[in-house]
Amino acid sequence: QVQLVESGGGLVQAGGSLRLSCAASARTSRSYVMAWFRQAPGKEREFVAGISRSGGNTYYTDSVKGRFTMSRDNAKNTVYLQMDSMKPEDTAVYYCAARTLVAVASHWEGYPYWGQGTQVTVSS
């Protein structure tokens, strides 16, 4: 089992940048596929980005492609989400998630492990 702790959220103006971090407790965190989801008020939790165990493959939802970059440092048991050119519609609580299966899944039900979430607010 793995515990996940997100950090790095906050308030940013449109066009600005934030970097989220997700620290995993397990020494074998490299065994987990990792993902970022977000949930805005009144909306379903949606997939933002995912990364393979090795970090060699990343996946993004269309609305963040070219603006967000997900990466991982397995030596530090940490994954990151670099968010650039941010828009007001990026405002949400961002969650880090993990799963032991090989493939990145784009639905939240595919992930058994979750962090507590971090608020990201983009002002216009």
Side-chain angles (χ1 to χ4, degrees):
Q1 191 168 356
V2 60
Q3 283 76 48
L4 305 172
V5 179
E6 303 99 335
S7 61
L11 174 64
V12 64
Q13 289 188 334
S17 298
L18 280 176
R19 189 176 82 153
L20 304 183
S21 299
C22 173
S25 63
R27 291 183 179 180
T28 56
S29 64
R30 66 188 64 193
S31 299
Y32 294 84
V33 163
M34 304 294 292
W36 288 97
F37 285 77
R38 65 187 180 187
Q39 188 166 19
K43 295 188 176 181
E44 187 173 339
R45 191 168 297 191
E46 68 167 345
F47 175 82
V48 176
I51 193 166
S52 61
R53 294 173 177 177
S54 67
N57 293 294
T58 51
Y59 307 86
Y60 302 93
T61 192
D62 286 347
S63 63
V64 309
K65 284 180 180 177
R67 300 189 299 119
F68 290 11
T69 303
M70 186 174 183
S71 61
R72 69 189 298 163
D73 185 339
N74 285 336
K76 296 182 178 179
N77 297 324
T78 302
V79 296
Y80 306 96
L81 185 67
Q82 177 67 41
M83 303 184 292
D84 299 318
S85 302
M86 297 188 72
K87 304 175 180 180
E89 50 263 45
D90 294 322
T91 295
V93 177
Y94 282 70
Y95 296 90
C96 178
R99 62 188 252 143
T100 57
L101 297 179
V102 173
V104 171
S106 60
H107 196 278
W108 62 267
E109 290 183 338
Y111 294 82
Y113 306 111
W114 292 86
Q116 82 288 352
T118 185
Q119 176 70 47
V120 171
T121 303
V122 185
S123 63
S124 57

